[in-house]
Amino acid sequence: RDGAEAMDWFLMSAPILRGGNLIATEQGSGDSVRQVMIPLWNSWYFFQLYANAGNVAAEWSTASPDPLDRYVLAKTHAFVEEMREAYDEYAIAEACEATQRFVDVLTNWYIRRSRERFWDEDQNAFNTLYTVLEVIARAVAPLLPLVAEEMWRGLTGGRSVHLTDFPSTDDL
């Protein structure tokens, strides 16, 4: 019903990876779609919708002086560090938790509070969201390969997110 990537996410984020029990239900894979995949996809769709409507050409930038932009870029920096540590330790469940927390920050704290800036076609808002989405696509590519690929191609027009390097905290 929800697709292979939703089931993969459900299994990677399940308590069984930490020695707990696993009860596979339709609700479990549905929750993974509802809590992570849909909000991440909606963030990318929101960006595409408003950038295309306003003919805005966003670019990689971390130079915005806006406090919300600085906040989400700092959270992105922390997210990349957390993901690198989780991947280095093969702690897949922790990487899934970090992704879920970051997607919540992106959608509920940044995009929701910056909507008026996108309506007003604020270039800094578009550049910041582009940067964050590009970074998150590279960071979650091992966990959500199909979603990350579609986001990456839509944002950059590049060949594949899986042929790029993991994001560096030095760039943020």
Side-chain angles (χ1 to χ4, degrees):
R1 186 189 75 181
D2 297 317
E5 193 146 308
M7 183 56 78
D8 287 347
W9 180 270
F10 169 68
L11 293 172
M12 286 186 293
S13 62
I16 196 165
L17 290 179
R18 290 183 214 101
N21 293 327
L22 174 67
I23 300 173
T25 63
E26 283 187 35
Q27 181 183 357
S29 68
D31 287 346
S32 64
V33 169
R34 184 180 51 79
Q35 294 171 352
V36 178
M37 295 172 73
I38 290 175
L40 183 58
W41 186 262
N42 286 345
S43 299
W44 175 73
Y45 183 77
F46 175 85
F47 173 81
Q48 293 287 66
L49 180 69
Y50 283 94
N52 289 338
N55 291 323
V56 176
E59 59 188 32
W60 175 278
S61 175
T62 59
S64 175
D66 187 84
L68 273 174
D69 292 346
R70 304 302 318 151
Y71 169 78
V72 77
L73 288 169
K75 287 292 192 177
T76 304
H77 183 274
F79 170 69
V80 169
E81 285 180 345
E82 194 172 0
M83 291 297 281
R84 180 172 297 280
E85 288 175 17
Y87 288 148
D88 286 347
E89 297 171 5
Y90 300 103
I92 302 303
E94 286 77 8
C96 291
E97 287 176 9
T99 301
Q100 186 173 349
R101 284 192 308 271
F102 182 75
V103 168
D104 181 59
V105 165
L106 178 63
T107 59
N108 292 327
W109 288 100
Y110 181 69
I111 293 175
R112 191 173 284 177
R113 286 167 174 66
S114 298
R115 284 187 190 272
E116 290 180 13
R117 295 176 58 215
F118 290 101
W119 295 333
D120 295 339
E121 297 179 7
D122 181 344
Q123 188 66 43
N124 284 329
F126 281 102
N127 289 346
T128 300
L129 186 55
Y130 173 88
T131 301
V132 170
L133 290 172
E134 192 269 344
V135 167
I136 196 172
R138 288 189 287 153
V140 303
L143 302 174
L144 296 167
L146 302 176
V147 171
E149 183 72 20
E150 190 64 28
M151 284 176 54
W152 172 264
R153 286 186 179 181
L155 288 167
T156 68
R159 251 177 83 201
S160 176
V161 69
H162 304 289
L163 299 174
T164 62
D165 292 332
F166 191 81
S168 170
T169 55
D170 296 338
D171 297 336
L172 297 171

